[in-house]
Amino acid sequence: MFDAQDRPLSLALLPGGPGELAVVRLKAIPFALPQPPSPGSSISVRVDRGAQAIRVKTDDASPAAPDHAVLLDTRQLNQPAVSITLDADVPVQRPVTVSLAVGGDLSHWQDLTRKVLFRPDQGAGLLGSGRLDLGGEVLGGRYLRVAWSGAPASMVTGASLATSPDPVPRRVTVAAKGAVMADPHHVLFTLPAGAGPTALMVAMTGRDGVVPIRLLGRAAADQPWAPLALASVRQGEKAALLELGDGGWREFMVEADTRSAGFSQMPRLDLQFTPVEVLAAMNGAAPYRLAVGQTKAPPAFFGMAELATRPGPFPQARVTDDGRDVEIDVAIGKARTGLAPRIVALWAALIGGVLVLAFAAYRLANDGQPQEP
């Protein structure tokens, strides 16, 4: 960051994520789901060809409903919910789609999130993270419903819910360009060196119905693929979210289930980054300019205690971009010099367009002495 005379200002990175977390244990209450609706109207088509006649009949059936569900009583929670980890005995080598919904009267529900849980081997942990992010949802005065299919009714016995009084920072979503669809069942891409996204979003762009997918990663081309997460991409629905984990993966493959026809065209890929907050000593002349993405700029962050004599809160300012669409190149087979990881940690969250900066304003008084912010 520069002042009006192009002098750099002193910067410090603020701790990311919510502050102190409180974990609440919740007991699962069995909850009988209503019967699914009867199939809709049917369509019958007759094709006559000479002496032959062919008749095709289709039913406009509703999507398959979950088989089982439990309730979690969250009415007394007064802090935003950060995430939830289910106490779930997931069957071995059987993907189980779990969906969360919230409601206040046990009859009307608002969908929150969905995730595929998968246990690769007996005694092994769940593939990827078993945690479901709730993004600061306020659950007070409402119930949380957990529903699933393809597993026994006794699969979920409880949950650990993490809450925080601090706002949950929203992830920054950046479009990915350059991925390669090798065939209808395989999409390949490579991250630039130092890039540290937290999740991948995959959205269907064709008319392909439902396509189960799994995400695989590896650190280099000479290493085997490691399974990271599973999800299902559905036509006309929002993108599936797959957590990337912290395994240091550089190369990724989105693999469509071979039981399906795969993708008829390239799906949309977006990367999610954790936002960054910056503490800046505003001891120069306005206006101030924020510059990001300079590959030769060395990281020069101060410790937070070196800039601020009190813990905050600090005055805040919002910085907006110039309206240009921003993408990150994930093409395979390119030289990946990229940026230093600590630089990417700063600018990757800025390129989404909006960043909230926390400023500690060290102004000069009339006598030339600094004042407390």
Side-chain angles (χ1 to χ4, degrees):
M1 184 175 294
F2 301 93
D3 65 8
Q5 281 74 44
D6 289 333
R7 295 195 312 162
L9 303 182
S10 299
L11 303 176
L13 286 177
L14 293 180
E20 183 177 354
L21 297 178
V23 179
V24 181
R25 293 283 302 138
L26 300 171
K27 182 180 179 181
I29 305 172
F31 184 72
L33 291 171
Q35 293 296 320
S38 58
S41 58
S42 61
I43 300 175
S44 180
V45 179
R46 176 188 174 97
V47 179
D48 292 319
R49 185 178 181 181
Q52 296 180 335
I54 301 175
R55 184 182 298 273
V56 179
K57 182 178 180 181
T58 63
D59 291 324
D60 184 17
S62 302
D67 297 329
H68 310 291
V70 295
L71 282 183
L72 302 174
D73 190 352
T74 55
R75 292 175 297 171
Q76 304 305 315
L77 297 181
N78 54 13
Q79 292 185 352
V82 177
S83 64
I84 187 170
T85 302
L86 302 176
D87 298 334
D89 185 14
V90 179
V92 176
Q93 297 181 354
R94 186 189 306 175
V96 178
T97 300
V98 174
S99 59
L100 300 185
V102 65
D105 59 4
L106 301 182
S107 60
H108 299 87
W109 299 96
Q110 172 191 346
D111 291 333
L112 289 184
T113 186
R114 176 189 298 151
K115 187 166 188 175
V116 177
L117 303 181
F118 184 77
R119 190 181 305 278
D121 297 297
Q122 189 69 38
L126 296 178
L127 185 64
S129 172
R131 183 185 70 253
L132 288 86
D133 291 326
L134 298 179
E137 185 74 24
V138 178
L139 303 178
R142 299 188 289 176
Y143 296 94
L144 189 63
R145 187 188 71 182
V146 184
W148 65 93
S149 300
S154 59
M155 185 186 76
V156 177
T157 58
S160 297
L161 185 70
T163 65
S164 174
D166 301 324
V168 178
R170 291 186 175 273
R171 291 175 175 175
V172 177
T173 301
V174 181
K177 69 172 184 178
V180 175
M181 190 166 77
D183 56 57
H185 290 89
H186 298 91
V187 176
L188 303 170
F189 66 95
T190 302
L191 290 180
T198 57
L200 171 71
M201 300 176 67
V202 182
M204 185 179 295
T205 58
R207 300 175 59 86
D208 303 319
V210 179
V211 179
I213 61 173
R214 66 170 182 163
L215 178 66
L216 302 100
R218 62 186 181 185
D222 58 351
Q223 296 185 4
W225 291 104
L228 303 179
L230 294 94
S232 290
V233 184
R234 291 173 167 80
Q235 178 180 326
E237 295 191 10
K238 64 180 182 180
L241 181 68
L242 300 103
E243 299 289 337
L244 297 182
D246 54 0
W249 318 111
R250 287 276 313 283
E251 300 184 3
F252 294 88
M253 178 169 60
V254 178
E255 183 180 62
D257 196 316
T258 54
R259 296 173 299 175
S260 71
F263 295 109
S264 59
Q265 58 190 53
M266 171 69 75
R268 176 181 174 89
L269 303 182
D270 294 284
L271 294 169
Q272 288 192 341
F273 293 85
T274 301
V276 172
E277 284 189 317
V278 178
L279 187 70
M282 309 293 287
N283 50 5
Y288 302 100
R289 293 177 298 111
L290 179 66
V292 297
Q294 173 54 258
T295 59
K296 297 181 180 180
F301 295 115
F302 286 80
M304 185 173 173
E306 297 179 271
L307 294 188
T309 57
R310 59 180 178 83
F314 304 107
Q316 290 188 342
R318 183 171 293 273
V319 179
T320 58
D321 66 359
D322 57 6
R324 291 178 296 179
D325 292 333
V326 179
E327 298 175 320
I328 184 169
D329 189 1
V330 296
I332 62 176
K334 287 187 176 181
R336 295 288 178 179
T337 55
L339 302 179
R342 287 177 291 175
I343 295 178
V344 173
L346 170 62
W347 71 265
L350 306 182
I351 58 181
V354 178
L355 174 70
V356 176
L357 298 175
F359 290 102
Y362 288 82
R363 299 292 186 183
L364 294 179
N366 292 333
D367 58 0
Q369 299 299 319
Q371 292 182 339
E372 283 295 311

